[in-house]
Amino acid sequence: MKTPALEIRPAEMPDLPAVLDLYRHLNSDTDRPSVAEAEAVFERFLAYAGSVILLGLIGGVPVASCTLVIVPNLTRGARPYALVENVVTHADHRRRGFGRKVLDAACDAAWAAGCYKVMLMTGSTRPETLAFYARAGFEQSKTGFQKRRGSGLLPG
């Protein structure tokens, strides 16, 4: 069976419901924001120069996505760096190279913006997920740390 052509483009406001649907394949247990809340967050996100949600579409339907943020930087000759987050492929469209193509497009955009590196983190320990990132050219070369706000610390 021939793999259909993947169109890759930045997400726009009309894509937001489909993006949120696609994110269910990333974190099925996460609460979905209201339409108004999602629109407000997406508007703030788009206002940040260098931020984009890249969509991979088949026949106009999003099947893969990742978020790219270009961060200004005062080291490395003032060259920016890029963060990739929310890498997801719809469960029905995995193992066809769509996620890899979206990641490649994100890296191409980062290199075009003069970034000296592209970083991503994954909480997954699944060998297939780690192998996916390695095949996409990412190396597990640094130690990542994170600090999350505790659920009991938020005001009621």
Side-chain angles (χ1 to χ4, degrees):
M1 178 165 101
K2 185 178 177 187
T3 302
L6 187 73
E7 173 197 356
I8 299 175
R9 64 166 175 78
E12 299 172 350
M13 192 61 75
D15 298 311
L16 196 51
V19 169
L20 295 174
D21 288 344
L22 187 58
Y23 285 168
R24 287 289 191 197
H25 295 268
L26 179 64
N27 294 314
S28 61
D29 60 341
T30 300
D31 291 336
R32 184 177 176 135
S34 69
V35 172
E37 182 180 23
E39 288 175 349
V41 168
F42 192 50
E43 283 179 11
R44 284 196 317 269
F45 176 81
L46 292 176
Y48 185 89
S51 296
V52 64
I53 296 175
L54 292 173
L55 290 180
L57 303 106
I58 299 292
V61 177
V63 298
S65 179
C66 76
T67 300
L68 173 69
V69 178
I70 308 292
V71 181
N73 184 34
L74 291 173
T75 65
R76 305 287 179 150
R79 291 190 325 255
Y81 59 91
L83 302 173
V84 171
E85 183 66 46
N86 298 330
V87 179
V88 62
T89 301
H90 189 290
D92 294 342
H93 297 275
R94 292 182 180 155
R95 300 190 184 276
R96 297 185 194 174
F98 300 146
R100 168 74 183 264
K101 288 179 181 177
V102 169
L103 270 179
D104 286 347
C107 289
D108 289 346
W111 306 145
C115 292
Y116 79 94
K117 71 178 175 180
V118 177
M119 298 186 295
L120 66 79
M121 290 179 57
T122 181
S124 177
T125 58
R126 295 172 44 200
E128 60 270 24
T129 301
L130 302 179
F132 164 74
Y133 289 125
R135 284 191 310 274
F138 289 85
E139 63 181 57
Q140 199 171 3
S141 61
K142 291 198 173 195
T143 301
F145 292 88
Q146 67 175 340
K147 186 174 185 178
R148 291 187 182 216
R149 188 174 195 166
S151 59
L153 298 178
L154 296 174

